[in-house]
Amino acid sequence: MSLPPSLPEPATPLDAACEGPVPGLASLQREREPGRDLWAGIESRMAAPLRVPQRHREPSLWPYALAASIAAALITGVLLRLPNAPATTGTLTASAAAPASPEGWASTVVAQRSKPYDNREGEGLDSGAPRSLRLLRSDSLDNAPALVAQRAESPDSGLMKTTYSAGGHQGAHAQQAILRANLKLATQAEREVRRALKSDPDSQSLKRLLVSAQQQRELITTLLIHDPG
Amino acid sequence: MTLVETPEVQTPAALRRPAVDEARAAAQKAENADVLAASRGDARAFERLYRAHVGKVYGLCWRLCDGDAAKADQAAQDAFVRAWEKLASFRGESAFGTWLHRLTVNVVLGEHRLLKRWTTFEDAETAGAPEPSHHPTAHLGDRMDVERALTRLPKGARAVLVLHDLEGWQHDEIAAATGIAVGTSKAQLHRARKLMKEWLS
């Protein structure tokens, strides 16, 4: 977080269209004294014991449970190992415009790289096509992850990198869940921009923001269609 | 009549600045000592921190809680109690005030679920944007002041406007704290500014 508020934010097209902050808003007094002294209530709650979970000091079975789990995992791994389907570990960038946790700035999710993209290693950000063309190509389904990655690199994209590395069915489900959650966010963003445009139809920055939101939604939709899980 | 300048006026600003810096550094040092003591369980030190920061914390809670004093009281108390519980995790990477501000926003937006049901501008327009009945100056005069216009905004838009324009947060930070997309935050801010300017003109 960047406090105090005097720190400048990188200029975005939207800022220009908003024509700056509301006059008089910055001069509002940020401090406000409560009507009563809150300290007594705070102090009484501070005195209460913290809700720390108590550890039971009973004879612990944890070592045995741990050993049994490791043994089970090893046996399962040996039995289920398939020679032609190694779990591919890699990183993929998905849109995660808002982490679920308020205290977190990015989500880490486990998922498996989809097969159609396996032979696309190295493509994407360094692709030779012009950026605008790559963004607007409708037939570039195979480049969808790269496009999302590219959009994520854009400072005003609203996308954040989500890195995941693991394999298996659960990973694919997690990937689908992330994509669906982000599709919902992108759709909501597009809806909000459209509402803002209704009242300010001449705003060029809102139009650009709408295009950006539409592209994000289309890319996520493309990913969902291309890799339905 | 001849005005005689006082020695204080004649003092160059450059000479006064070190004294101000020294006072600020001393205050910061005292606050750091209080933070350290409070993290070790010193309630008196934490009370001093409370006295120093309650104004800003309460002001933030008051605006995010729709100007409702009772809710703001509760939110501010919750924030300080949470700060007391979490103080051991404060590593001093930012100023204590910055850390406390972020924690307050998380408490208000996270626990009180003000933004769980995102209030859209469309809702406000169709509902005629009624002014909050509890606002003491809601019917005074035709031209709204900034504070009244702020309380008239829908909750979501007000939160974005307060966090961005008053508290200095950036859109990605607002999105992370509230669970909306960055584009939504930008659109809310745009519309909030436009509405405010219309109301205040």
Side-chain angles (χ1 to χ4, degrees), chain B residues 63-74:
Chain B
R63 288 206 169 88
L64 291 177
C65 290
D66 198 19
D68 187 322
K71 283 183 185 173
D73 282 2
Q74 186 63 41

Side-chain angles (χ1 to χ4, degrees), chain B residues 160-177:
Chain B
V160 170
L161 190 69
V162 166
L163 291 177
H164 190 278
D165 282 357
L166 273 179
E167 301 297 328
W169 287 36
Q170 297 182 15
H171 286 295
D172 55 346
E173 295 173 324
I174 296 170

Side-chain angles (χ1 to χ4, degrees), chain A residues 196-216:
Chain A
L197 260 174
K198 271 186 188 175
S199 65
D200 194 4
D202 297 329
S203 170
Q204 293 301 316
S205 63
L206 278 179
K207 287 176 183 173
R208 282 194 292 270
L209 191 59
L210 179 62
V211 171
S212 173
Q214 285 174 327
Q215 285 176 345
Q216 287 178 13

Side-chain angles (χ1 to χ4, degrees), chain A residues 128-210:
Chain A
R131 181 175 181 273
S132 56
L133 286 180
R134 277 182 283 145
L135 283 175
L136 296 176
R137 274 171 58 185
S138 59
D139 59 343
S140 57
L141 295 182
D142 286 347
N143 285 335
L147 288 173
V148 173
Q150 186 181 30
R151 294 297 300 151
E153 293 298 325
S154 173
D156 61 345
S157 68
L159 300 177
M160 291 181 184
K161 279 187 179 177
T162 301
T163 303
Y164 50 90
S165 56
H169 208 59
Q170 289 183 337
H173 281 302
Q175 178 181 352
Q176 288 295 309
I178 277 192
L179 288 175
R180 288 185 196 286
N182 283 300
L183 180 62
K184 191 176 176 184
L185 284 172
T187 306
Q188 183 192 36
E190 187 181 338
R191 192 168 56 239
E192 291 295 335
V193 177
R194 284 187 190 282
R195 280 179 184 147
L197 260 174
K198 271 186 188 175
S199 65
D200 194 4
D202 297 329
S203 170
Q204 293 301 316
S205 63
L206 278 179
K207 287 176 183 173
R208 282 194 292 270
L209 191 59
L210 179 62

